[in-house]
Amino acid sequence: MNFSNSLKAAVFLIFALTVGFTFESFAQDSVSYSLQEMVQRAKDRSPASLRAKTRKENRYWRYRFFKSNYNPQLRLSGNIPSYSQAFNRVEQPDGTIEFREVNQNFIDLGLGLQQVIAPTGGTISVNTSTNRFDNFLASDSEVQTRWSGVPVNISLTQPIFAYNPYKWDKKIEPLIFEESKREFVQESEMISMMVTELFFDYLIAQVNFDIASKNLKNTEDIFSIEKKRYEIGATFEDKLLQVELQTLQAKQDLAQAQLDLEKSSLAVNSYIGINQNAKIKLRAPDIIPQFDVDVNEAISYSFQNRAEALGFDRRRLESEAQLADAKGQRLAMNLTASYGYNNAAFTWSDIYNNPNTQALVNLGISVPILDWGRNKARMSQALANQQLTEYEVEQEAINFEQEIFTKVRNFLMIRERIAVTKKSDEVAEKRYQIALNRYQTGNVTISDLNIAQNEKDTNKRAFFNSLKDYWMAYYELRALTLYDFESKELLYIPDLE
């Protein structure tokens, strides 16, 4: 008896765990989202958001790499070891050739602290180095190991009249980095737009499925009424067949609506990065934010915040840099100077005893005497490119301003349209219910009922399409200005340095 009770308890426990697990899985696979919740999830965890964050990180490290060019660089270089055992060709004083066996090793090691001079494009460095030579074939009376080195040496390399990349990079690279940070915020708002489009595509698919389901039920009820009327001779066969065709068409519409719903579900799940089998139920936005948008204010925020506006300045600087590069190639001069000490000895420590002065000054020059117009063509091309860039930027700035003006006007128009479509939806729904009731009492023809149904469906879809257009325009306005007009806050605030 006790064994029987224990068995029942175990079976009950397994059943309870199984049911609980199934319910939990179902609960996890059934998710309800509002528009704002889905937008936030996409910004946080969608594949598109992860790609945007990765691009942002890549641009950050590019900027860090650029900044490192202006910091001192401590470098260790050399060969450890450079061993050689061979018969080498050695030319004698009388011009003959002898092949001598060598068995030797050469080690050189240098340490240098290097710093670029950004304003001039030059490089200054402080260096020290040590060399060791070992001759393994030396006799007992000969010195096998020799040392040489440079205890300290200061070197300067300075191009003259040349293009200075450090000067121009210091102007351009910070703009590129600032652009990338603003582009990341814009990409986030573009993700919001994409999610909004998918959200409403799925929501409209749900609405169409509900419409098709109700239409099928209503059509089947009407078909049942028409059959009874036909049986008592109150209607004609052609009307009965008409309703039957409408019933068959309603079934096809429901099947198509089901397919569209599944496709939209897959698209939403894939974009926001959730299980493809998850069942999502969307909640339509029931509140339309009311706020003022001034066109001139929107244009001002766009030029203040958008990456494209900052890109106008960056492109102008890049064209100036290209012109400076062309000018720098007309005359090439390079000054090299160094001063320090060097020495040679039989031991390493003796290198640093009374070293000799080492000095070097060299000025290299390269001037084209006859280049058959090569330099003139290069300069003319750079000037033409600079002028072209200026024209393009001016035109794009005009287009940029016109786009903001158009988008703001479009947003305001769509917001006014929502109230009209919502009222039309309510009126069409009420008219259809009245027409359906009158049809059931025989006071409205099937044709008039069909017209009322089509108007009901059309106005229902028009209302949800106007909702989609509004929220698409809402997030587009945020992306175009990087400003939230609803909360009156900047979406991107530049770092203060």
Side-chain angles (χ1 to χ4, degrees), residues 4 9 92 110 187 195 248 251 395 400 457:
S4 177
Q92 303 301 304
E187 286 183 44
V195 171
L248 295 174
K251 291 180 179 179
Q395 184 61 53
F400 186 78
D457 298 345

Side-chain angles (χ1 to χ4, degrees), residues 13-122:
L13 179 60
I14 293 173
F15 175 76
L17 291 174
T18 303
V19 171
F21 176 77
T22 303
F23 177 78
E24 183 180 359
S25 300
F26 177 79
Q28 290 178 349
D29 289 342
S30 299
V31 188
S32 177
Y33 281 107
S34 68
L35 174 60
Q36 287 74 17
E37 290 171 348
M38 184 172 286
V39 166
Q40 191 59 50
R41 177 189 169 84
K43 285 183 174 181
D44 292 339
R45 290 183 283 177
S46 70
S49 175
L50 296 177
R51 289 194 297 269
K53 291 175 182 177
T54 303
R55 282 193 292 269
K56 179 185 178 183
E57 184 178 4
N58 181 278
R59 292 161 181 168
Y60 167 76
W61 288 113
R62 167 180 168 165
Y63 182 70
R64 285 289 302 272
F65 179 79
F66 149 74
K67 293 283 287 184
S68 69
N69 291 333
Y70 299 86
N71 297 328
Q73 305 289 326
L74 184 63
R75 296 181 179 275
L76 179 68
S77 60
N79 292 295
I80 311 173
S82 177
Y83 177 76
S84 175
Q85 181 179 4
F87 281 90
N88 290 344
R89 168 181 167 174
V90 180
E91 186 174 351
Q92 303 301 304
D94 59 358
T96 61
I97 300 296
E98 291 287 343
F99 293 94
R100 299 290 179 86
E101 181 184 6
V102 295
N103 185 0
Q104 60 192 28
N105 182 47
F106 183 77
I107 296 175
D108 66 295
L109 193 63
L111 184 66
L113 182 64
Q114 179 177 303
Q115 172 68 57
V116 301
I117 307 172
T120 64

Side-chain angles (χ1 to χ4, degrees), residues 208-222 246-247 250 253 432 453-454 456-457 461:
N208 287 334
F209 181 78
D210 292 341
I211 290 174
S213 300
K214 293 177 181 179
N215 287 347
L216 177 59
K217 181 182 181 303
N218 292 340
T219 306
E220 288 176 340
D221 293 343
I222 293 171
Q246 291 175 355
T247 304
D253 293 342
Y432 173 73
Q453 177 180 301
N454 290 335
K456 171 184 70 73
D457 298 345
R461 295 186 180 101

Side-chain angles (χ1 to χ4, degrees), residues 190-360:
M190 295 301 292
I191 289 173
S192 301
M193 287 181 58
M194 186 64 189
V195 171
T196 300
E197 183 175 12
L198 293 173
F199 177 93
F200 278 100
D201 285 346
Y202 188 26
L203 182 62
I204 291 171
Q206 288 182 349
V207 170
N208 287 334
F209 181 78
D210 292 341
I211 290 174
S213 300
K214 293 177 181 179
N215 287 347
L216 177 59
K217 181 182 181 303
N218 292 340
T219 306
E220 288 176 340
D221 293 343
I222 293 171
F223 183 48
S224 178
I225 294 173
E226 285 295 323
K227 282 197 295 185
K228 292 178 181 179
R229 289 179 179 177
Y230 178 73
E231 290 172 357
I232 63 175
T235 189
F236 298 101
E237 185 178 7
D238 62 333
K239 290 187 177 180
L240 178 63
L241 294 175
Q242 178 185 357
V243 176
E244 184 177 6
L245 286 174
Q246 291 175 355
T247 304
L248 295 174
Q249 182 62 47
K251 291 180 179 179
Q252 294 182 29
D253 293 342
L254 181 60
Q256 183 63 49
Q258 177 67 38
L259 179 61
D260 293 341
L261 186 63
E262 292 174 357
K263 289 170 57 179
S264 299
S265 174
L266 290 174
V268 169
N269 292 3
S270 175
Y271 191 82
I272 66 176
I274 65 175
N275 186 356
Q276 292 290 338
N277 297 322
K279 304 299 182 183
I280 296 180
K281 186 67 176 178
L282 302 183
R283 304 192 301 273
D286 53 357
I287 298 177
I288 301 300
Q290 298 295 323
F291 52 87
D292 296 327
V293 181
D294 182 74
V295 174
N296 294 326
E297 188 179 14
I299 293 173
S300 176
Y301 280 123
S302 295
F303 278 96
Q304 173 186 329
N305 302 327
R306 283 282 296 278
E308 289 85 348
L310 196 62
F312 296 154
D313 297 332
R314 187 254 308 161
R315 288 164 59 187
R316 288 190 177 101
L317 281 175
E318 287 176 340
S319 66
E320 292 178 15
Q322 292 172 0
L323 180 61
D325 188 15
K327 290 180 179 178
Q329 296 183 47
R330 293 181 300 179
L331 174 63
M333 297 181 66
N334 194 60
L335 173 65
T336 302
S338 66
Y339 182 85
Y341 300 93
N342 68 343
N343 204 354
F346 296 121
T347 62
W348 177 75
S349 58
D350 288 341
I351 296 175
Y352 299 91
N353 293 328
N354 299 319
N356 298 319
T357 300
Q358 181 189 47
L360 170 67

Side-chain angles (χ1 to χ4, degrees), residues 417-452:
R417 194 178 73 198
I418 287 181
V420 177
T421 56
K422 183 177 182 180
K423 184 65 176 178
S424 299
D425 176 38
E426 295 171 351
V427 171
E429 181 69 34
K430 184 176 181 180
R431 177 177 182 270
Y432 173 73
Q433 292 299 327
I434 294 173
L436 180 61
N437 294 334
R438 293 185 63 192
Y439 169 78
Q440 292 172 347
T441 59
N443 294 323
V444 170
T445 65
I446 188 65
S447 297
D448 292 336
L449 181 61
N450 290 337
I451 292 173

